[in-house]
């Protein structure tokens, strides 16, 4: 499996950061490439199995399923069911950890996937990381 990864250190506490990130239906609040999210089944958006439809600012749509939500460990995992991305078998985890010396938070966004036919692992990772970077940059402005 190929992997993509992005991370950032936040001045806000791990609990403050997690309160925003844990909202499976809240991605439009902090991802500048996503304009809408709707839970279409499987629960209320905080229950594993919940399915969301994301609409990008370009009109593209993404169907994703919440795999796990671990408040104690501050981890949210989801998988892509259907999306216009060069990946197959995509599963991703956002993990918020406390930073001991500053009281801030470290947020990592890690994905494992197979590149879609016609795409290399590096090409797919570049596309994913190009989506993660502005999302985490914008998250800083939301929880500053």
């Amino acid at each position: 499996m190929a992997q993509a990864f992005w991370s950032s250190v936040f001045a806000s506490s791990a609990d403050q950061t997690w309160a925003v990130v844990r909202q499976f239906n809240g991605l439009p609040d902090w991802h500048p490439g996503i304009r809408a999210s709707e839970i279409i089944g499987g629960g209320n958006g905080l229950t594993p199995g919940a399915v969301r439809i994301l609409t990008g600012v370009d009109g593209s749509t993404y169907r994703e399923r919440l795999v796990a939500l671990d408040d104690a460990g501050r981890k949210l995992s989801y998988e892509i069911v259907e999306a216009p991305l060069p990946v197959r078998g995509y599963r991703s985890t956002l993990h918020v950890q406390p930073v001991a010396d500053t009281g801030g938070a470290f947020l990592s966004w890690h994905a494992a996937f197979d590149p879609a036919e016609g795409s290399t692992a590096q090409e797919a990772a570049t596309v994913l990381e190009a989506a993660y970077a502005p999302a985490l940059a914008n998250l800083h402005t939301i929880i500053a």
Side-chain angles (χ1 to χ4, degrees):
M1 291 209 107
Q3 298 185 33
F5 177 81
W6 203 259
S7 63
S8 189
V9 175
F10 289 78
S12 56
S13 73
D15 287 340
Q16 291 169 315
T17 305
W18 176 244
V20 175
V21 172
R22 75 182 292 275
Q23 302 299 321
F24 186 60
N25 203 34
L27 199 56
D29 295 340
W30 54 275
H31 195 305
I34 303 298
R35 70 173 159 88
S37 179
E38 179 183 359
I39 299 296
I40 61 164
N44 63 6
L46 298 175
T47 308
V51 176
R52 70 182 174 193
I53 296 287
L54 300 172
T55 304
V57 294
D58 63 358
S60 58
T61 59
Y62 306 77
R63 183 183 305 258
E64 299 176 337
R65 180 180 301 110
L66 181 61
V67 174
L69 182 67
D70 175 2
D71 283 320
R74 295 187 198 93
K75 290 183 184 180
L76 179 148
S77 296
Y78 68 96
E79 62 189 5
I80 291 177
V81 177
E82 184 179 4
L85 295 171
V87 298
R88 297 182 288 113
Y90 174 101
R91 183 172 282 197
S92 190
T93 298
L94 288 95
H95 186 194
V96 178
Q97 297 173 282
V99 176
D101 66 344
T102 66
F106 176 77
L107 172 57
S108 62
W109 196 339
H110 177 265
F113 59 90
D114 290 318
E117 190 170 326
S119 182
T120 68
Q122 185 57 53
E123 289 168 342
T126 298
V127 168
L128 295 170
E129 291 168 357
Y132 301 162
L136 295 191
N138 197 54
L139 185 58
H140 280 276
T141 67
I142 302 302
I143 56 175

